[in-house]
Amino acid sequence: KKGKKKFTADRVVLACGTIVTTKLVLDFLKIKKEVKIKHHPRLLSAFISRERIKSSMNFTPSLLQIKNKKKNDRYLADIRPGNKTITNAIIDLYKFLFPFKFLINFFKDYIIFSNILLDSKFSNLYIKVKKNLVGEIYSKNQSTYYELKKRNLNIFKFLLKNKIIFPFYKTSFPGIGAEYHYFGTIPISPSKNKMTVNENCQLKFNPNIYIVDGSVIDFKVNKYPLALIVANARRIGNNIN
């Protein structure tokens, strides 16, 4: 058909990112059932600091990470001071703030931002291939925002108790799926499920197809998956060589 090309290869390595890779594999295997996309639901919060936090960097890394100790609820809050990268992103998102851009950047050193990430057990994204072979991505329930707000209240109380912030804050929920972490759709597993890979990341029943992105790993505890994804891809590359 027009726009399509065929090619032959001894091995195919998929490192397209979880969403694209999952669509390709679902299409290749002609699987019509839905597949759950693992992710870390997140909530953005802004607090007002009692003290000025001065930084000359356009993008300041997190200064504090707050983790919940409970094994059944390992959420994480990444605390960082205001910087131009964050404030400019907010202004791009909320266009009505543009006239106040100078004022916002003037007070950015008094703003503390929190990025709360939940465990993958709260994942609420699914993908399914329809007749037109386009993967539809959707969510099923509306409880995610409620769960995030509960954790955010805990963070607020902690910062307030330690006299770090003033007693008010603003939250922004970017929506289900508005994250950077997607993973676990084609996991490493001994299962006979066609949507799995072995320890060498070879697709079940298709040993010449390797998958080396986040789709093969379930990040149940680790909220920063990039380094592990890169390390695993390097491992598989060395094995192939």
Side-chain angles (χ1 to χ4, degrees), residues 2 6 41 51 68 83 86 101 117 130 155 172 204 212 224 238 240:
K2 186 178 179 180
K6 291 184 179 181
E51 302 288 340
N68 193 14
N83 54 71
I86 294 178
K101 182 175 181 179
L117 300 172
K130 298 291 187 177
I155 301 303
S172 176
K204 193 71 68 177
V212 296
Y224 298 95
N238 288 334
I240 293 175

Side-chain angles (χ1 to χ4, degrees), residues 219 222 224-233:
F219 295 95
N222 185 356
Y224 298 95
L226 181 59
L228 186 54
I229 292 172
V230 172
N232 183 58

Side-chain angles (χ1 to χ4, degrees), residues 87-116:
T87 55
N88 288 340
I90 292 172
I91 293 167
D92 287 341
L93 181 62
Y94 301 106
K95 302 297 184 183
F96 67 90
L97 292 175
F98 184 80
F100 307 101
K101 182 175 181 179
F102 173 79
L103 190 63
I104 292 172
N105 282 321
F106 181 80
F107 286 105
K108 67 179 174 56
D109 296 334
Y110 289 91
I111 304 176
I112 297 176
F113 290 95
S114 169
N115 192 33
I116 295 179

